[in-house]
Amino acid sequence: STAILAGTSMVSGNTTYVKSGTYTGAVTYTAAINTWVGFATNHYDNGTKPLITIATNNPLFNVDSATISTIINMSFSSTSGTRHRGLEAGLGTGPYLTVINCTFDGFSYAIFGDNGAVGYWGRMYVDGVEIKNGTTGGMQSSGFSVYVRGSYIHDNTGDGISVGNTALFVDRTILTGNTQGIVDGSNSTFFISN
């Protein structure tokens, strides 16, 4: 199938349901408050995740500034020769991002917001997420709060989690096979529980 473009007609508060299958290309949307849910048979069934893959050196999903985005039960992959980022914070006011029960495979970073090259995350909540085979690292955030719960971040070149000026909360998460586990670029606060 082709890229998911349903988001271009979304209005704030809409949900885009994505049926199991393989879709190629970048995700496009314009709604300020948006939800994306993968399903197999019935909405919210947590069935087989749809796969969205990209083969070009572009971000798969640019999360616009000043938005609230929720992504549930989806898989994302990159097969580009030069890997780019999966979810990328748009420039401007930091978007709020919630990612639940998703898989990221083969991006430079699965989730990225450095408050430099791109924007920053106003708040990021990651629960039950697998991040693997990143060519630069697993996830990166500079600014405000990052919550990582029940996730598996493994086999990434570079840091599993890289933060700067961030309050990082990590709970019941496995970081293994990364060059480094958690790295603080500057002035972050960590809260880690098992």
Side-chain angles (χ1 to χ4, degrees), residues 30 39 44 62 98 102 109 111 129 135 138 146 148 155 164 169 180 193-194:
T30 56
F39 72 99
Y44 293 100
N62 186 287
T98 300
C102 291
Y109 280 98
I111 303 172
V129 170
T135 59
V146 175
V148 182
D155 300 307
F169 302 83
Q180 298 184 78
S193 67
N194 189 358

Side-chain angles (χ1 to χ4, degrees), residues 75-151:
S75 289
F76 304 99
S77 73
S78 174
T79 58
S80 173
T82 302
R83 305 300 169 96
H84 208 286
R85 299 176 282 266
L87 304 181
E88 179 178 277
L91 291 170
T93 305
Y96 283 26
L97 176 67
T98 300
V99 183
I100 300 171
N101 192 32
C102 291
T103 302
F104 296 86
D105 186 2
F107 293 95
S108 61
Y109 280 98
I111 303 172
F112 187 79
D114 70 346
N115 199 20
V118 300
Y120 63 93
W121 302 107
R123 180 197 53 79
M124 183 194 325
Y125 178 77
V126 175
D127 189 352
V129 170
E130 180 181 15
I131 297 173
K132 60 185 176 179
N133 303 318
T135 59
T136 308
M139 57 189 288
Q140 199 283 343
S141 180
S142 291
F144 299 104
S145 301
V146 175
Y147 302 85
V148 182
R149 180 179 181 276
S151 294

Side-chain angles (χ1 to χ4, degrees), residues 33-46:
I33 300 173
N34 55 82
T35 302
W36 303 79
V37 179
F39 72 99
T41 306
N42 300 303
H43 297 169
Y44 293 100
D45 64 7
N46 282 325

